[in-house]
Amino acid sequence: MPALDTSLKAGEAVLIGCPYCGKIIGKVSLEGILEATCSRCEKRGEWHHGVFLATSFNLSDKKVRAPEKNLPGRYQLKGQKGDATFEVSFFSMEKIDIRKGDLISISYSKSPRSVLNLTWAGSYKNKPSLLIIDRTRKVHRI
């Protein structure tokens, strides 16, 4: 039996989701990093206007310290997409069923100037806000 080919093909569509409302927006073809807009959040008129960054990669390695009672777990993911290497670290209070070879989509929300001044600082947060595993179609807020 041939091995399962989990590599992301050029132009292949992947699921992306909105980091603000947590909804799956749909499947899009991602070449690198995409600036996307959530139509639901755009209509709300909030300071971020539903705009976020999304990217995807195939998981090649992971280090997980599972969550314990009242303590978050630490996830360190490494992946490949073409020649690019992705490394993502985050904490989560929930266990995430993630396996090597999974196609992962992550979304980054806009960074506000301050907690009180909710206007865009001109950058995006350096930690992801949303993770989608294509195999299970599960959305995880992180």
Side-chain angles (χ1 to χ4, degrees), residues 36-107:
T37 303
C38 173
S39 60
R40 292 180 196 123
C41 293
E42 184 179 30
K43 291 175 186 173
R44 290 184 189 163
E46 295 180 16
W47 68 273
H48 50 70
H49 303 290
V51 178
F52 62 95
L53 291 181
T55 191
S56 65
F57 59 89
N58 287 98
L59 187 65
S60 60
D61 191 25
K62 67 175 184 170
K63 290 183 184 177
V64 176
R65 189 190 79 217
E68 298 175 17
K69 186 176 183 178
N70 299 326
L71 294 174
R74 179 171 176 79
Y75 292 81
Q76 292 177 287
L77 309 178
K78 290 183 183 178
Q80 287 287 131
K81 183 175 180 181
D83 295 336
T85 301
F86 290 89
E87 291 189 26
V88 179
S89 297
F90 59 89
F91 290 94
S92 178
M93 294 298 282
E94 67 176 302
K95 281 190 175 183
I96 300 174
D97 176 25
I98 194 165
R99 301 175 189 167
K100 289 183 182 177
D102 278 349
L103 179 57
I104 306 295
S105 169
I106 53 177
S107 299

Side-chain angles (χ1 to χ4, degrees), residues 17-24 38 40-41 130 132 139-141:
C18 175
Y20 308 112
C21 67
K23 304 290 183 194
I24 292 177
C38 173
R40 292 180 196 123
C41 293
L130 196 78
I132 300 175
V139 177
H140 301 277
R141 285 190 173 271

